[in-house]
Amino acid sequence: MRTQVCIIGGGPSGLLLSQLLHLAGIDSVVLERRTRDYVLGRIRAGVLESGTVDLLRRAKVGDRMDKQGIVDEGIVVAGETHGFRIDIKALTGKSMMVWGQTEITQDLYDAREAMGGTVIHEAEAVKPHEMDTDAPFVTYYKDGAEHRIDCDWIAGCDGFHGVSRKSIPRSVLKEYERVYPFGWLGILSETPPVTHEILYASHSRGFALASLRNENLSRYYVQVPQGEPVENWSDDRFWDEFKARIPGDLAEKLITGPAIEKSIAPLRSYAAEPMRWGRMFLVGDAAHIVPPTGAKGLNLAASDVHYLFEALKAHYLDKDDSGIEDYAQKAAARVWQAMRFSWWFTTVMHQFPDQSGFDRRMQESEITLLETSKAAQAAMAELYVGAPY
Ligand SMILES: Cc1cc2nc3c(=O)[nH]c(=O)nc-3n(C[C@H](O)[C@H](O)[C@H](O)COP(=O)(O)OP(=O)(O)OC[C@H]3O[C@@H](n4cnc5c(N)ncnc54)[C@H](O)[C@@H]3O)c2cc1C
């Protein structure tokens, strides 16, 4: 088989890139190692920056989002005793959209199918070859037979555990990492959200977050120690702990119910550079991971896709390779800004096991600054809503 762009990974990055390329008349094949149902079953991100919202509309997968997504114009930050609102819309002129990653992936799969796009599921042992030559290709196994796809470019959209990044020589790849000594225990419950804006609560018992998917679907998290087994958390234990960490007025009106999904995600900051090796590009989680505190993971994947799509479009349609040359530097510059924001917000809001009284006072002072200073709120709002592409 031959294609112009071979995309490894059928998560949000790979599907969105393939969809945008298709609309520009550029051919691609997506290789995904899992089934479609498995990919759609992953409960992950939910808050979209305005740039991501625009990109989804541009990819013609924005209709359902515009009808059913919830426009989010502010966030609530809480310390030990009370919460306060940061008016993102008033401070930046932009708003966010609450629309789940599962819904985005569903719409992207439907759009790829409707347009006759090639997405090969259960592709095993996918391997990129000859990326440092002008004739790269990708091999994989399906139904016991080996297949080969020749291409002009390879897009490594295969997430943190994928094969693309690992194919870059160790002598070339630079990795930067911070692993946090805690994780997030998250539950999804078919109950009305306790607040219609996302609540970030920094409590001495640990961090808690209240978010929502729709009027009757809530996503709540509490910080738990690293390595904590999810089996240790009955629904009742979760609700008791969650209530203890959020401001009293909200705890009083919280409606609880059975968890329809419960899982623990570790928190880490990670970046690999360069984001391009010869004719292979790294996109999204394949190149970087941020802790979910700033809601940046999926949004960074979308901005990488934007830069790569523009670069490939200019290459094929305008014979202009400047975007290809600039991709790694442009994408990484935006990644590092979001990386800093996510690290800062994580550090301010969570309890660290070795934290001193002084450290807690510093956290409280940061939160007071956010509550009382319009300048501090404006700086945060600008980063939260996302830098323009
Ligand atoms: C538990 C969890 C919670 C999260 N919560 C948030 C959140 O609240 N907010 C936020 O912004 N972000 C969140 N994220 C991050 C966000 O989900 C990711 O940034 C986003 O999924 C990145 O998309 P991607 O397509 O780059 O990677 P992925 O979604 O990881 O997709 C990669 C795809 O590649 C496939 N693949 C992997 N290896 C291979 C291979 N060898 N061959 C072929 N295919 C392969 C995988 O099966 C997968 O479908 C969360 C992530 C996790 C894990």
Side-chain angles (χ1 to χ4, degrees):
M1 200 192 290
R2 182 165 176 92
T3 189
Q4 288 172 304
V5 185
C6 184
I7 299 174
I8 305 179
S13 307
L15 294 171
L16 182 57
L17 179 64
S18 149
Q19 174 74 359
L20 288 163
L21 290 173
H22 181 105
L23 293 171
I26 301 163
D27 188 42
S28 70
V29 170
V30 177
L31 294 173
E32 166 59 51
R33 79 171 165 188
R34 304 285 194 174
T35 63
R36 177 177 167 147
D37 284 349
Y38 182 94
V39 176
L40 289 175
R42 292 190 292 223
I43 311 286
R44 289 181 170 183
V47 185
L48 308 183
E49 295 176 352
S50 62
T52 307
V53 168
D54 290 343
L55 193 63
L56 292 173
R57 287 183 187 137
R58 208 172 150 201
K60 300 201 187 305
V61 287
D63 286 358
R64 226 160 49 88
M65 170 186 76
D66 283 325
K67 283 194 199 99
Q68 297 173 28
I70 299 171
V71 175
D72 198 2
E73 299 189 342
I75 57 169
V76 177
V77 176
E80 200 83 14
T81 55
H82 66 280
F84 56 92
R85 182 169 189 265
I86 298 183
D87 191 335
I88 305 274
K89 179 75 190 274
L91 290 161
T92 64
K94 293 189 236 164
S95 45
M96 291 85 56
M97 178 80 83
V98 176
W99 183 238
Q101 178 167 334
T102 316
E103 308 295 343
I104 296 173
T105 318
Q106 173 82 57
D107 286 349
L108 282 165
Y109 270 126
D110 289 349
R112 296 312 301 123
E113 206 163 89
M115 293 180 187
T118 309
V119 181
I120 299 170
H121 283 280
E122 297 178 84
E124 289 166 33
V126 176
K127 195 166 188 291
H129 303 266
E130 307 282 332
M131 300 85 87
D132 53 343
T133 73
D134 284 343
F137 64 97
V138 179
T139 54
Y140 66 99
Y141 283 84
K142 170 108 183 151
D143 301 326
E146 193 184 13
H147 301 266
R148 167 174 169 148
I149 301 180
D150 290 285
C151 53
D152 300 334
W153 308 97
I154 298 171
C157 302
D158 47 353
F160 184 66
H161 299 289
V163 65
S164 303
R165 186 184 67 251
K166 292 174 194 149
S167 311
I168 298 177
R170 304 293 317 166
S171 57
V172 174
L173 197 73
K174 284 204 173 68
E175 296 176 284
Y176 306 87
E177 183 169 43
R178 165 144 314 170
V179 177
Y180 300 91
F182 40 73
W184 278 17
L185 165 65
I187 68 156
L188 195 64
S189 102
E190 285 171 328
T191 50
V194 66
T195 148
H196 281 84
E197 292 184 328
I198 295 176
L199 165 75
Y200 293 89
S202 171
H203 195 276
S204 47
R205 296 179 71 93
F207 172 75
L209 182 144
S211 66
L212 62 154
R213 291 292 186 265
N214 62 44
E215 290 303 324
N216 199 40
L217 194 58
S218 302
R219 182 83 170 143
Y220 298 130
Y221 296 93
V222 292
Q223 170 190 347
V224 293
Q226 194 177 33
E228 178 89 346
V230 72
E231 297 74 36
N232 284 1
W233 287 83
S234 65
D235 289 2
D236 285 346
R237 183 176 175 205
F238 178 89
W239 289 120
D240 287 347
E241 192 58 40
F242 182 72
K243 273 189 199 170
R245 295 182 188 188
I246 61 174
D249 55 329
L250 291 176
E252 265 172 37
K253 62 177 195 177
L254 177 75
I255 298 174
T256 62
I260 57 170
E261 194 265 354
K262 195 188 285 168
S263 52
I264 295 182
L267 264 67
R268 62 150 63 87
S269 301
Y270 171 90
E273 289 182 302
M275 289 176 66
R276 174 186 167 204
W277 164 242
R279 285 187 166 252
M280 182 174 77
F281 305 94
L282 298 182
V283 182
D285 278 20
H288 40 76
I289 298 281
V290 285
T293 324
K296 292 290 169 225
L298 180 62
N299 291 301
L300 280 180
S303 62
D304 290 354
V305 167
H306 163 83
Y307 291 127
L308 183 54
F309 165 62
E310 290 295 338
L312 291 168
K313 191 165 68 123
H315 168 80
Y316 284 111
L317 307 189
D318 307 325
K319 308 263 172 281
D320 172 4
D321 277 354
S322 56
I324 300 257
E325 296 307 328
D326 291 348
Y327 170 76
Q329 174 271 322
K330 258 191 183 168
R334 197 174 184 286
V335 166
W336 279 109
Q337 284 306 308
M339 192 71 70
R340 190 207 69 80
F341 174 68
S342 306
W343 158 83
W344 166 78
F345 203 26
T346 301
T347 307
V348 170
M349 300 302 287
H350 290 75
Q351 293 298 301
F352 286 72
D354 56 353
Q355 182 166 314
S356 65
F358 178 84
D359 295 331
R360 182 66 189 147
R361 281 278 189 252
M362 288 298 100
Q363 291 179 326
E364 287 166 353
S365 299
E366 289 261 12
I367 293 167
T368 303
L369 181 70
L370 266 184
E371 183 174 7
T372 53
S373 159
K374 273 278 173 274
Q377 289 189 2
M380 181 184 181
E382 199 178 296
L383 293 160
Y384 194 83
V385 85
Y389 305 159

